[in-house]
Amino acid sequence: MTAPDPDVAALLARWSDRGEPAMFAGTDTPEGVAAARERYAALLRETVRPATAAPEVLDDAPVPVRVHRPVERTSDALVVYAHGGGWVLGGGAVYDPVAQRLADDTGAVVVAVDYSLAPEHRFPKPLHDVLDGLGWALDHAGDWDADPARVGLAGDSAGANLVAGAALARRDRRAPVVGTLLVYPPPDFEGRYASVRENGEGLFLTAADVVACSKLYLGSASPRGDIRLSPLRADLTGLGPTIVATAGLDPLRDAGRAFAEALTAAGVDARLREHSTLVHGFLGFTGVVPAADEAVAALHREFAALLTA
């Protein structure tokens, strides 16, 4: 197995030494879910590069949104973003630094959809929230002098799953987005992938975490045959250019690879960008892992080019 980046290894060792539990440890009770959310928010504050500005928080949309304006506006594109956290963690202000970085690097306004979290709101509520937030953002693009014909989608982890579904919905309405950025996505609830076994322990996201968050999101729903859960199994033809970023030491690595391959087979301009020495969650490690910061900068540059192509 490839060795982790030295700064990633040091971060993981620090968390191990102080006894940090797995991300979804104890989430079988409401109290455990609340504790996991607090732990996750604290870890992100410890590792992410601080935000350059605060968002405008709007509660009058169909779903709460957080509007991030770039420090320097260089694009009239509009980006709709969905955060990670296994559909369970990461709501509110937790991902503000990540979304603001996306706005600053692309020069575009970013509307971060603060979708409802599981297990209080299970599938398909978070997906519906992202779709509603996207529709609202398109209707209000003029409020930010953005071009609704130049909308891009971005998401990481669970958020990447949700925006992949939103990209399919826009394609079905014959209005595909101009570009999509999916960072370590979980695109398939039905497949079995070797990377879950290979990278399932000691690398931040564990195999047990993958199972736990999936159960919290699904509840009693079956994933079989539902492309809203598994966009990899949808007809992918007609989607806009898509960047799929994976981490080499991530349980989700092989599913991300498979999604990029399926997109390419469907004739989509798909760009697989694998970061061999990084782990799941590197989008939030930009303050302490230079290799993660460089990876994010490169992904954002490529995404910005799609928005203006």
Side-chain angles (χ1 to χ4, degrees):
M1 184 175 73
T2 302
D5 174 87
D7 295 301
V8 170
L11 180 62
L12 296 175
R14 182 164 79 239
W15 287 341
S16 177
D17 289 346
R18 73 187 192 203
E20 287 288 348
M23 192 166 17
F24 285 88
T27 52
D28 50 349
T29 67
E31 295 79 12
V33 169
R37 287 172 178 161
E38 291 177 4
R39 288 197 308 271
Y40 187 64
L43 290 179
L44 202 60
R45 286 194 297 270
E46 177 184 343
T47 59
V48 74
R49 197 167 83 175
T52 57
E56 180 182 3
V57 181
L58 301 178
D59 295 319
D60 56 350
V63 58
V65 298
R66 307 175 74 84
V67 180
H68 297 262
R69 300 174 187 268
V71 170
E72 182 180 0
R73 181 77 177 272
T74 59
S75 172
D76 66 352
L78 177 66
V79 177
V80 175
Y81 169 74
H83 67 78
W87 304 277
V88 176
L89 315 176
V94 175
Y95 268 79
D96 280 351
V98 174
Q100 185 63 44
R101 170 73 181 275
L102 179 62
D104 290 343
D105 284 357
T106 60
V109 171
V110 172
V111 177
V113 180
D114 200 6
Y115 59 86
S116 304
L117 298 177
E120 297 90 340
H121 304 278
R122 301 186 192 271
F123 171 79
K125 176 61 172 168
L127 175 59
H128 289 168
D129 281 357
V130 170
L131 293 172
D132 288 345
L134 171 59
W136 180 88
L138 287 168
D139 289 343
H140 289 78
D143 295 351
W144 312 295
D145 295 321
D147 182 354
R150 302 207 62 77
V151 63
L153 295 172
D156 63 292
S157 195
N161 172 276
L162 297 173
V163 299
L168 287 167
R170 293 302 301 174
R171 185 275 315 268
D172 291 345
R173 295 185 63 175
R174 301 183 186 279
V177 298
V178 297
T180 303
L181 173 62
L182 306 176
V183 183
Y184 32 79
D188 185 14
F189 274 73
E190 299 183 41
R192 298 292 180 267
Y193 298 95
S195 58
V196 177
R197 297 188 303 274
E198 294 171 8
N199 301 324
E201 292 293 337
L203 295 166
F204 186 52
L205 181 70
T206 69
D209 286 333
V210 173
V211 172
C213 72
S214 298
K215 288 182 176 178
L216 289 166
Y217 182 44
L218 287 176
S220 60
S222 170
R224 289 290 173 189
D226 197 327
I227 61 172
R228 297 174 300 170
L229 288 165
S230 300
L232 182 149
R233 297 176 181 270
D235 174 6
L236 302 174
T237 56
L239 288 177
T242 303
I243 302 166
V244 180
T246 59
L249 300 174
D250 182 359
L252 303 183
R253 179 197 66 204
D254 290 353
R257 287 177 178 173
F259 193 40
E261 291 169 0
L263 288 164
T264 299
V268 177
D269 176 5
R271 297 106 178 269
L272 177 63
R273 304 292 181 251
E274 187 157 293
H275 304 86
S276 61
T277 65
L278 298 182
V279 299
H280 192 92
F282 71 76
L283 208 64
F285 295 171
T286 50
V288 295
V289 177
D293 190 63
E294 293 166 8
V296 171
L299 290 170
H300 286 176
R301 282 195 300 270
E302 187 170 13
F303 185 50
L306 292 183
L307 297 175
T308 57

